[in-house]
């Protein structure tokens, strides 16, 4: 019997070579799959690949007669009902650690860009203002080095540690806050959240979204941020209350770089799309994980999971 494999949201990996690697199987790849389509498209599949398509108890119970393996093409596993999968004898595998380098680079890119006020100066040139300027240069928004700045990291897992290493190489003074309260033995100064927010010029978030981190930064503590501080979220949407942050950005001189959002894709009237704060903010569409080299590591991890299961 030929193994049937279905990838429900192949577009989440952009251009990929999975089809070439899996051509010996009965392989079908859908660019995207709406919630009402997932069961019909998965009928008879022995292996399902999914990045964000939800496979809940109802779906798994319907598919349990044929389904043997779910490969999550990411690290997070919250889109699959793991308890139901275990009950129905369906193995669930993910891939961890593939994006450490790319998310680190993305974090540094945002920190460097916002330290140099690139959103403001890019618009200054492209809008034609520079072409009509009286002077050869413009320093109306101050540029700052990372060297000598205090960089606070929220969530010192693998990515947080890698960011800490590179931030230190740039000359930043690194400290961190453990959202679980359990990671207190790192070679950096641990601070409570309020102290970290008050004392850091750059803060980057690398924590998971859970009960402890939901709405972790909000109107009550965003006010502790220093004037001119940079806040970067490449962890998970929902950790920062985006409406509260947008109000704080409009109210005073703060800067933010976000790759993750509480609802993805962003809503059209999202508070961070306020044109009044556009010069203070960098936004990317949850793609910090997806640099080509990281994607290849992820794809090899997916193939490894399939091979090991079928052996």
């Amino acid at each position: 019997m030929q193994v049937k494999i279905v990838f429900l949201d192949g577009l989440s990996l952009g251009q990929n070579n999975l089809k070439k690697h899996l051509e010996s199987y009965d392989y079908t790849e859908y660019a995207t799959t709406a919630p009402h389509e997932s069961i019909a498209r998965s009928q008879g599949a022995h292996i399902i690949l999914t990045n964000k398509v939800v496979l809940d108890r109802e779906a798994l119970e319907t598919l349990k007669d044929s389904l043997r393996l779910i490969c999550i093409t990411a690290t997070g596993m919250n889109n699959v009902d793991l308890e139901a999968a275990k009950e129905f004898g369906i193995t669930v595998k993910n891939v961890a650690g593939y994006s450490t380098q790319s998310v680190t680079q993305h974090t540094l890119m945002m920190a460097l860009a916002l330290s140099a006020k690139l959103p403001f100066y890019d618009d200054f040139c492209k809008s034609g203002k520079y072409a009509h300027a009286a002077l050869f240069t413009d320093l109306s928004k101050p540029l700052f080095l990372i060297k000598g700045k205090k960089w606070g990291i929220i969530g010192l897992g693998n990515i947080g540690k890698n960011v800490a290493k590179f931030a230190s190489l740039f000359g930043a003074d690194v400290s961190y806050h453990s959202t679980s309260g359990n990671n207190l033995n790192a070679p950096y100064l641990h601070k409570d959240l309020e102290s970290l927010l008050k004392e850091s010029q750059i803060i980057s978030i690398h924590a998971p979204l859970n009960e402890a981190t939901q709405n972790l930064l909000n109107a009550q503590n965003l006010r502790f941020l220093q004037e001119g501080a940079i806040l970067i979220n490449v962890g998970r949407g929902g950790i920062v209350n985006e409406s509260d942050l947008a109000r704080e950005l409009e109210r005073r001189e703060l800067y933010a770089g976000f790759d993750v959002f509480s609802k993805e894709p962003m809503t059209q009237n999202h508070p961070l799309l306020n044109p009044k704060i556009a010069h203070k903010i960098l936004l990317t569409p949850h793609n910090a994980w997806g640099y080509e080299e990281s994607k290849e590591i992820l794809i090899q991890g997916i193939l490894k999971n399939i091979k090991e299961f079928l052996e």
Side-chain angles (χ1 to χ4, degrees), residues 292-304:
E292 288 301 306
E293 295 83 356
S294 296
K295 274 172 50 181
E296 186 56 33
I297 296 171
L298 172 60
I299 287 169
Q300 291 304 315
I302 296 165
L303 295 172
K304 181 174 181 283

Side-chain angles (χ1 to χ4, degrees), residues 248 252 263:
E248 200 70 14
R252 60 195 184 98
K263 188 178 186 308

Side-chain angles (χ1 to χ4, degrees), residues 89-144:
I90 301 167
T91 301
V92 183
K93 289 181 174 287
N94 66 342
V95 183
Y98 61 91
S99 64
T100 299
Q101 294 300 326
S102 60
V103 177
T104 297
Q105 180 172 311
H106 210 82
T107 305
L108 291 168
M109 176 271 295
M110 285 185 159
L112 290 165
L114 292 169
S115 295
K117 309 299 188 295
L118 284 192
F120 175 84
Y121 287 115
D122 180 65
D123 178 71
F124 181 78
C125 291
K126 290 178 179 176
S127 67
K129 293 175 185 175
Y130 183 42
H132 294 92
L135 196 64
F136 77 97
T137 188
D138 187 275
L139 293 172
S140 53
K141 296 289 184 184
L143 292 73
F144 293 102

